[in-house]
Amino acid sequence: MGQADVALRMGSVVAVRGPVIDIRFAAGALPPVNEAIRIRAGAAPLIAEVQSHVNEETVRAVALQATNGLARGIAAEATAGPIAVPVGDAVLGRLLTATGEVGDGGGALPADVPCRPIHRAPPPLEAQSAATRMFETGIKVIDLLSPLAQGGKAAMFGGAGVGKTVLVMELIRAMVARYEGVSVFAGIGERSREGHELLTDMRGSGVIDKTVLVFGQMNEPPGARWRVGMTALTIAEHFRDEQKRNVLLLMDNVFRFVQAGSEVSGLLGRLPSRVGYQPTLASEVAALQERTASVEGASVTAIEAVYVPADDFTDPAVTAISAHLDSNVLLSRAMAAEGMYPAVDPLGSSSILLDPLVVGEEHYALAQKVRETIAHNRELQDIISLLGLEELGQEDRLIVSRARRLQRFLTQPFVVTEAFTGQPGRSVSLGATLAGVRAILAGETDDWPESALYMVGDIEEARVKAGVAA
C-alpha cells in the first residue's frame, strides 16, 4: 500500500460527545458505514465503528470502548474493513470482549489466529435447512409444552426477577454437558458478577474447553453492548461453516441489545419511534436474528433470554424479537409468586415443533389436554374466589384438582439452584415426563397430597413422596 493510500486513510478527531465521535478525513476518502476506525489514544488503540456521514469530510462513529481522556486532534485511522474478531479453536475456553480482546486475564491468543469481520450476510435461503428435530432439555414443562428445535431459535421472555437467567443457566448446564458440539455464550449487558459466576461455574464443571464466552457488560459503552451479539455470531458461524460443527448459541439478554441500539440511536441524533425505541428497531433485530441459521450438515441452535419491560408482552422490542423465533417460553410473575418454578406459563408458551407430525400423536394429545385442563381451571378461579370450591360441580372440581397437580408436577428443582434451595437438581427424560402427565390426567394421583408432586423429578419420585405402593 502506497503512502498516498495511507494518508487518505488517516483522519483526526473533531468532536467527542460521550461514546459518539466525529472524525474528519480528506475529502472524498470517507470510510463507509460499519467500517472500523482505530483511534490512537493511550497505550491501546480505541476501536470505533462508522455509523453515518455528517458531510463530505466528516463521519460520525460510535466507540466500543470508553472514551475517557479522548481529545480533539487525536489521529484516527480507517482500517478498510469492519471490526474483525478472532475465531476458531484458539478461542475455545476463553472469554472475549466485543472487539475480540481477551478478557479472562489469561495469555494472549496466538499471533496466527484467524479473524473474521462481524458484519456478514445470513446464508442464502436455499442453503438453510429447516429445524424439525426436537432438542431434549430435561426440563419437564419445556419439553412437554414448548419443545426446542435443534437448529432453531428459542427465547425465554419474562420481567425482572421471574427466573430468566436461572432457566438459561440450567439449559446451559443441561445441554452443554450432553451436547456434541461447541457452545458460544453472549453476555449482552450482563452484570459483572454474572459473568464471573458463569466463567467460574464452567471451569468447575469441565465444559469450558468447548465453550467460548463473549461479554459486553453493563458498565461498558452502548457500542460494546450493541455489537457483542454480532461478535458471538461471527465465532458461531466460523464453527458452522468452516468446521461443520453444531453450535449452541446462548444469549443473555437480547433486550439489552435493543436497549443499547436505542442509546446509540439517540446519541446519533435520530428521531425516536414508537415508545421511544430507535426507528431502525426491526432491521437491527433482523440483522442479529436472521444470521442465526442452520445449513446442511451443521446447525446453530439459539437460546435467548429476553427481558420484558414492566411485564408488557406487547412492547415493540418484545414483539420484534418474538417474530423471529421457533419456540417462545413465557415466564409468569403470578406463577413465580406462587412458588411454581420454573415459572413457565403453560398457556402463553408455544413452539412450532408442537405438531403431531413432529413430536408424535401421543405427545401432542397430552400437551393439548394439559393446556385445556389448566385453562379450564383458570376460568373457574373467579367463581372459586367468590363462592368457594364446594359450589362447583363434581366434574369441575375434578378438573381443578388435576390442574393443580399438573402445575405442581411441572415444577422442578435445578442443579444451578442447589446452593440456595438445598435440593438436588433433577433432569427428566421426555418419556418420564409424558408418563407422569398421563398418570395425573388418568386420575392415578387424585388421592395423593398435592405437595407430593411439587419439586420432584418423575412420577415415581412423587409416588415415594406420597407413600403410595407401586
Side-chain angles (χ1 to χ4, degrees), residues 95-118:
L95 186 151
L96 305 178
T97 65
T99 54
E101 303 293 322
V102 173
D104 55 12
L109 295 171
D112 60 347
V113 64
C115 291
R116 296 286 180 272
I118 65 167

Side-chain angles (χ1 to χ4, degrees), residues 366-407:
L366 282 171
Q368 293 304 100
K369 187 66 179 171
V370 166
R371 281 207 173 116
E372 191 182 307
T373 305
I374 292 172
H376 195 88
N377 173 44
R378 286 194 184 171
E379 287 168 11
L380 296 169
Q381 284 309 303
D382 286 345
I383 297 170
I384 294 168
S385 301
L386 289 169
L387 304 174
L389 191 62
E390 299 74 23
E391 296 302 314
L392 296 178
Q394 188 174 355
E395 189 180 340
D396 283 344
R397 265 187 285 178
L398 194 62
I399 287 171
V400 169
S401 166
R402 288 178 185 169
R404 288 176 63 84
R405 282 167 171 76
L406 281 169
Q407 285 180 313

Side-chain angles (χ1 to χ4, degrees), residues 6-246:
V6 173
L8 282 173
R9 282 176 31 209
M10 297 305 295
S12 64
V13 174
V14 292
V16 181
R17 289 181 301 281
V20 173
I21 307 165
D22 286 0
I23 303 161
R24 182 179 292 131
F25 289 88
L30 289 189
V33 170
N34 289 337
E35 182 167 316
I37 294 179
R38 195 179 289 111
I39 301 169
R40 298 169 182 177
L46 187 147
I47 303 296
E49 187 180 84
V50 177
Q51 290 304 314
S52 63
H53 292 177
V54 180
N55 54 42
E56 292 177 354
E57 295 184 335
T58 311
V59 297
R60 187 157 286 163
V62 170
L64 273 73
Q65 290 132 334
T67 55
N68 299 346
L70 193 63
R72 287 185 293 180
I74 288 178
E77 180 188 1
T79 59
I83 294 164
V85 295
V87 295
D89 293 336
V91 298
L92 288 172
R94 304 305 300 267
L95 186 151
L96 305 178
T97 65
T99 54
E101 303 293 322
V102 173
D104 55 12
L109 295 171
D112 60 347
V113 64
C115 291
R116 296 286 180 272
I118 65 167
H119 293 285
R120 290 181 63 190
L125 200 57
E126 62 269 17
Q128 295 183 24
S129 58
T132 55
R133 224 174 94 210
M134 184 176 161
F135 204 96
E136 206 172 309
T137 65
I139 298 172
K140 291 180 285 190
V141 66
I142 291 177
D143 287 345
L144 175 68
L145 298 173
S146 185
L148 309 187
Q150 176 150 355
K153 293 191 279 276
M156 320 293 152
F157 292 91
V162 295
K164 292 183 303 303
T165 299
V166 168
L167 189 55
V168 168
M169 293 296 182
E170 182 69 11
L171 281 167
I172 292 171
R173 190 213 60 79
M175 295 164 86
V176 169
R178 69 172 79 178
Y179 192 72
E180 292 303 317
V182 177
S183 301
V184 180
F185 179 87
I188 306 173
E190 286 282 86
R191 300 169 184 89
S192 302
R193 170 187 59 78
E194 290 172 342
H196 185 265
E197 281 177 6
L198 183 66
L199 182 61
T200 307
D201 289 349
M202 287 199 158
R203 281 176 173 162
S205 59
V207 298
I208 191 73
D209 292 340
K210 53 179 183 176
T211 306
V212 185
L213 305 174
V214 189
F215 275 89
Q217 297 180 142
M218 268 186 180
N219 60 327
E220 294 187 49
R225 288 178 271 127
W226 194 36
R227 289 307 185 214
V228 68
M230 299 289 193
T231 302
L233 260 173
T234 303
I235 294 168
E237 285 169 339
H238 177 81
F239 286 118
R240 179 196 68 194
D241 298 336
E242 309 293 323
Q243 301 189 10
K244 299 297 177 190
R245 292 167 81 175
N246 291 336

Side-chain angles (χ1 to χ4, degrees), residues 283-296:
S283 57
E284 282 177 18
V285 170
L288 184 74
Q289 299 286 359
E290 292 305 307
R291 281 174 61 184
T292 312
S294 300
V295 297
E296 200 60 47

Side-chain angles (χ1 to χ4, degrees), residues 140 334-343 403-414 417 421 423-424 426 428 440 445 448-466:
K140 291 180 285 190
M335 290 187 68
E338 290 175 23
M340 299 295 169
Y341 288 108
R404 288 176 63 84
R405 282 167 171 76
L406 281 169
Q407 285 180 313
R408 278 151 183 76
F409 179 66
L410 292 177
T411 61
Q412 188 170 339
F414 285 166
T417 58
T421 63
Q423 241 183 321
R426 302 280 191 279
V428 185
I440 294 168
T445 65
W448 300 7
E450 288 178 1
S451 58
L453 294 153
Y454 179 67
M455 285 292 173
V456 295
D458 57 17
I459 197 74
E460 294 310 314
E461 189 182 340
R463 193 187 300 279
V464 171
K465 204 171 168 184

